[in-house]
Amino acid sequence: MIRKRLGDLLVENGLITNDQLTNVLQNKPREEKLGDALLQQGIITEQQLLEVLEIQLGIPQVQLYHYPFEAKLFNLIPKDVAKRSLIVPLKVEGDKLYVAMKDPMDFITMDDLRLITGFQIIPAIASKEDILKTINKYYEEESFDDFLVDQASAVDKQEELLDIDAPVVRIVNQILSAAVTQKASDIHFDPQETRLLVRFRIDGVLHDERTLPKLMQGMVTARVKIMSKLDITEHRIPQDGRIKTNVDFRPIDLRVSTLPTVYGEKIVMRILDLSNNLTDISKLGFNEKNYERFMKEIAKPNGIVLISGPTGSGKSSTLYAALSYLNDEEVNIITVEDPVEYQLEGINQIQVNSNVGLTFAAGLRSILRQDPDIVMVGEIRDKETVEIAIRASLTGHLVLSTIHTNDSIASVTRLMDMGVEPFLVTSSINAVVAQRLVRRVCRDCAEKQEPTIREIDIFQKRGLDIQTVSRGKGCPSCGMTGYRGRMAIHEVLIVDDKIKSVINRGGTAAEIREIAQANDTIFLIDDGLMKVREGLTTTEEILRVALQD
């Protein structure tokens, strides 16, 4: 039997087009596999790839989400081998060991396993994420037991917290690894009266990950503090730190914050995955009209472009993507941030430090003496900062910044609430981009459905029609939530002459909205509903983050 090539099978199944196949084959590095290149670019999902590989190789696919594992089998394969080669043992039948593998054609690993275990190896295909979740879950039990055995002696020994083989160190590393595998944005260590609760924020929603005994709380807290170079003897005041590390061979940056609570110190770790940094504006989810308007505004030599939205709405990603696009040897870009989230090559980034008087305003004042072309201010928080930003824009600089408001029109009125004169606002602000993050429907379990009567009514009120909507029914890929990953919805308000005259004469937000509507501004809710119509997200997600008029 002649085995069909993977690319041909993917085209036959309608998962990719011939043009996409040709483009990926021409541009991928020679040693990279076609499947990996397609996954990297988000053209197919891992589940779709596994289904086609199952047909191509004739090797069964296995879902590990509810697989009835025997814990003793994990003694057959050392954890480092399992993690490095992405394999987990499934079952033993006679002299055969069935294993789930990311790459069932990795014959070298299969030979090594045969030597290690003495069994004949029978492969099955599983997703990388499924395998890593299983490794984190089943290999962690030993550390947990070791901790309880060693706990009495470990409490008095600070060196235990530095020893990479110490149980508490392994437990913290397992939590980090599990968070990165599940693409969590934050890890919460919540101290409670009788336990320490560990929660992950995945796609903007908090999930309970595991519960640790109360007696582990002190050691876990101390370990995290040592990693982030914080004072382990200080428990009464909040502390902030940072960790740079590699988790599963990926560079990860962690921002750590501690807060004293009734039951001990609560720790939140924000995960910045440096290998997953979004620096391409075209991948931020702008629709065609908004993309065109945004690109035109950031190409101007001077003026202010503001990005508004609450905490965690992806403002920083949009700013960094814009800076990466503008980053060129002919321009001097300087930023002042609190904190510096991603370090960008070729851009001068300043970290705010209020302890020594380096505030946004002070940093911005100094930047203007450094001959900049483009200035990025992490956040506009007060009148002093906004006035210096305006002065910078009026003296020939492009200024990019963020502001915490509900929508683009509220950002304009917020500046005046800070005490800035209307004529200064109108002479400097070019555009305001409002942004929110919504969860994407999982591509592996999405189903087309008829819209509800309420949905049809919501769409009609916005002048849009709707035939079908997509919802995820829940699968192992999305942890049975029906959602996987997030995307942004935007609203781009161009401050034109008509809007400027309304602001100068002290007009209302309603008047600005009327002009914006006449200018074909796509408001947050409209952009969101268009994405619902495309089957990318759900109406519930849009109404969760965007207000109806």
Side-chain angles (χ1 to χ4, degrees), residues 11 32 39 43 47 60 114 219 225 228 265 411 446 462:
V11 172
E32 188 176 25
L39 285 177
I43 296 170
Q47 189 55 40
R114 194 164 45 77
M219 291 289 279
K225 282 182 163 185
S228 42
E265 287 176 283
S411 302
R462 306 301 301 182

Side-chain angles (χ1 to χ4, degrees), residues 10 12 236 323 325 328 375 395-396 407 439 441 482 489 496 518:
L10 288 165
E12 262 177 43
R236 298 160 302 172
L323 288 178
Y325 171 77
D328 185 301
V375 176
T395 52
D407 58 31
R439 292 184 289 172
V441 172
I489 57 171
D496 64 1

